[in-house]
Amino acid sequence: MALLKNPAVEINGGEKTRVHMDDPLAVSKIAQDLVGRLHKLGINQNSQVVILCIGTDRSTGDALGPLVGDRLAGQAPAGVAVYGTLENPVHATNLAQVLEEVRQTYHRPLVIAVDACLGRLENVGCVSIGDGPLNPGAGVNKNLPPVGDLHITGIVNIGGFMEYVVLQNTRLHVVVRMAGLIAAAILHALSQLLEWEQYGAVVPAGSSLALSQAASGLAHS
């Protein structure tokens, strides 16, 4: 079973954005935030982007990453690789191997890490976006490699007590909805950035909101 990080553990602390999945503009807000963060990281049409979706289908709460990977696989723009699906999950036992494969395959790729996490009751159902890597397994005292130039986490249930039992009893409905929202926001943000780069345009503030309807449909599919 994959191990989840403590949501409070960040290598490069910094401002995070948190959006609840019930927010009708959730896809737009997450995409807009990703656009800004990816733009700061210097993404362009020649960038190699790896989306690393961490988790396992053997635990309902920890299936968020593979569900996001399934939705992204085959739909990501050219130059974007997706690791971690329901069929081929990335979890605690193979994470180091997958990271080594990424290192050997791509030259300094920009890595977006996606994973589930546990948190406070009031934050369950929220998607959190932050700069820098996340630490898979930190919440259960496992020493796993840090992952990501930026990270997206979905708070799927309450943390702090009997984490494995909590994960197994997390509602699939919550995880599936959140996975659709995250996948839609990632696709929306990447397509916008690469389109603007292709035409030499400057990333306009707030324009993710104007282009959110198609992505919203993906989120609810």
Side-chain angles (χ1 to χ4, degrees):
M1 165 177 189
L3 303 172
L4 300 186
K5 80 234 120 258
N6 184 329
V9 175
E10 286 185 63
I11 308 284
N12 297 335
E15 187 174 351
K16 298 178 72 173
T17 298
R18 185 171 290 156
V19 181
H20 198 278
M21 65 181 184
D22 288 336
D23 186 333
L25 294 177
V27 171
S28 304
K29 290 178 179 179
I30 296 169
Q32 182 178 2
D33 188 79
L34 285 174
V35 164
R37 294 177 191 271
L38 290 168
H39 186 59
K40 285 193 300 182
L41 288 170
I43 190 174
N44 58 57
Q45 59 186 339
N46 298 316
S47 298
Q48 294 182 319
V49 178
V50 172
I51 304 174
L52 195 60
C53 302
I54 303 167
T56 175
D57 60 344
R58 295 180 182 273
S59 170
T60 305
D62 204 14
L64 178 70
L67 283 167
V68 172
D70 258 21
R71 287 174 175 259
L72 293 176
Q75 297 190 65
V80 177
V82 178
Y83 286 80
T85 62
L86 292 173
E87 182 179 5
N88 297 299
V90 175
H91 43 67
T93 58
N94 68 355
L95 177 60
Q97 176 185 340
V98 171
L99 290 177
E100 178 61 20
E101 179 182 336
V102 169
R103 188 188 69 81
Q104 293 185 9
T105 305
Y106 305 97
H107 177 65
R108 301 183 65 181
L110 189 156
V111 178
I112 302 172
V114 181
D115 200 358
C117 67
L118 303 175
R120 296 188 180 93
L121 175 61
E122 63 268 24
N123 293 328
V124 173
C126 288
V127 174
S128 180
I129 312 101
D131 296 326
L134 54 80
N135 252 354
V140 284
N141 299 316
K142 294 293 181 180
N143 185 22
L144 297 174
V147 180
D149 295 294
L150 63 84
H151 61 272
I152 304 170
T153 57
I155 304 173
V156 298
N157 213 329
I158 305 168
F161 180 71
M162 297 180 67
E163 278 81 0
Y164 291 111
V165 175
V166 170
L167 287 172
Q168 294 288 353
N169 288 278
T170 296
R171 290 197 64 201
L172 181 60
H173 173 69
V174 171
V175 179
V176 170
R177 277 191 61 199
M178 197 176 295
L181 186 153
I182 292 171
I186 291 173
L187 290 172
H188 190 44
L190 288 173
S191 63
Q192 281 187 267
L193 281 167
L194 297 178
E195 181 179 340
W196 287 327
E197 172 69 21
Q198 180 180 358
Y199 291 102
V202 175
V203 177
S207 51
S208 290
L209 296 174
L211 298 172
S212 64
Q213 290 185 345
S216 296
L218 220 184
H220 298 292
S221 63

